[in-house]
Amino acid sequence: MYPDQFDYYEAESVDHAIELLEEHEMAETELLAGGHSLLPAMKTGLSSPDVLIDLGGVAELHGVSVEGDSIVIGAMTKYSELLDTDAAHDHAPALTAAVEQVGDRQVRNRGTVGGNLAHADPASDLPGGALASDATLVVQGPDGQREVGVDDFFFGMYATDVGPAEILTRVEVPSAGDAVGAYAKKPSPSSGYAMVGVAVQLEVDGGSVLSARAGANGVMDHGVRLEAVEDALEGGPLDDDAIERAGDVATDGLDTAMMMDDLQASGEFRAQLLGVYTKRALQSAMDQISAPAAAD
């Protein structure tokens, strides 16, 4: 199928893109990042923007760098570029683990980190990883820049705190230090998107969990923190019993009646999967901690 007619603009800078958004504020306008969600929607008629603003040529939105105690990821950084950066694995292990399971090689060579997070598909892999990483999303608009903590970024299905004339410019992740990160998901057999995905980031010292963050996607209509899992782990040992207990409380604090319920899986099934994949993510994290000790 062919998309409806639209006006196309190539943004030269972030400021130029914002100017274009303001100029066309009365029209239905979309920003083009990697295009893996937008272009299929346009071809099938699910999205019919009047104006398309391409961010691909905005140099300041690309790249990965370490700045102080954080790793900074430009919103237009491709998944493959992030995975090819050693600093990303060292400083943002939970987010990187989630990126590793996005789509296939072709998708990872085209799709972007910022486009994924700004699109906020509840079944995409990055929201859980961003939540587990305690990321900060930097948004720029006519009134300048502002920082949004990841816990406040996702509102609902395809809904975020990015305003109509604003652009997500970068993702800042505090360095994980010696923490380990992992991501486990049950992929949809038809699309590869997450029916349930769980990301964890753990700091463990002397066998005791000093800090834990866990985030999930695919369960609710937006990415969510699993605070009951974090509480079950912190202050105690990371062992098989702790993993079992944490998985058993994965749904605590979540409104199970509001869990995603579709042709892929019922809400009840997703609740069961959440516990299972929480345990798998934690087991993967524990294996990473045990591996160096075994090598010694």
Side-chain angles (χ1 to χ4, degrees), residues 67-85:
E67 299 180 11
D69 294 330
S70 297
I71 185 167
V72 179
I73 305 163
M76 286 294 293
T77 301
K78 294 179 175 62
Y79 303 127
S80 58
E81 293 170 345
L82 183 72
L83 295 177
D84 287 342
T85 305

Side-chain angles (χ1 to χ4, degrees), residues 232-246:
L233 292 167
E234 289 182 348
L238 182 63
D239 54 24
D240 291 340
D241 289 339
I243 290 174
E244 191 70 22
R245 288 193 301 271

Side-chain angles (χ1 to χ4, degrees), residues 7-202:
D7 293 332
Y8 173 82
Y9 298 89
E10 291 184 344
E12 300 174 357
S13 65
V14 171
D15 288 338
H16 183 217
I18 293 169
E19 290 173 4
L20 289 169
L21 287 172
E22 289 188 290
E23 180 182 341
H24 298 94
E25 62 179 347
M26 301 305 294
E28 183 176 344
T29 305
E30 292 283 0
L31 297 171
L32 176 62
H36 279 291
S37 297
L38 177 59
L39 296 184
M42 290 173 63
K43 288 183 177 181
T44 57
L46 294 175
S47 178
S48 299
D50 302 309
V51 176
L52 196 62
I53 302 172
D54 191 343
L55 300 177
V58 182
E60 60 199 285
L61 295 178
H62 292 262
V64 181
S65 61
V66 177
E67 299 180 11
D69 294 330
S70 297
I71 185 167
V72 179
I73 305 163
M76 286 294 293
T77 301
K78 294 179 175 62
Y79 303 127
S80 58
E81 293 170 345
L82 183 72
L83 295 177
D84 287 342
T85 305
D86 290 340
H89 297 269
D90 295 338
H91 293 274
L95 181 63
T96 307
V99 172
E100 287 176 333
Q101 296 197 41
V102 172
D104 53 24
R105 181 175 296 177
Q106 291 94 329
V107 171
R108 292 191 292 273
N109 281 336
R110 180 66 184 175
T112 65
V113 173
N116 184 300
L117 293 170
H119 184 55
D121 188 323
S124 62
D125 298 298
L126 268 60
L131 285 159
S133 302
D134 194 19
T136 296
L137 294 303
V138 180
V139 175
Q140 186 169 333
D143 298 325
Q145 289 189 352
R146 60 190 182 90
E147 298 181 350
V148 184
V150 68
D151 290 336
D152 300 318
F153 185 73
F154 302 107
F155 285 168
M157 188 177 295
Y158 309 118
T160 70
D161 193 39
V162 180
E166 290 184 320
I167 295 173
L168 173 63
T169 59
R170 64 183 186 270
V171 182
E172 299 180 353
V173 179
S175 176
D178 294 329
V180 297
Y183 178 70
K185 77 170 179 178
K186 169 66 174 175
S188 163
S190 61
S191 68
Y193 278 83
M195 291 168 60
V196 166
V198 178
V200 297
Q201 188 160 291
L202 308 176

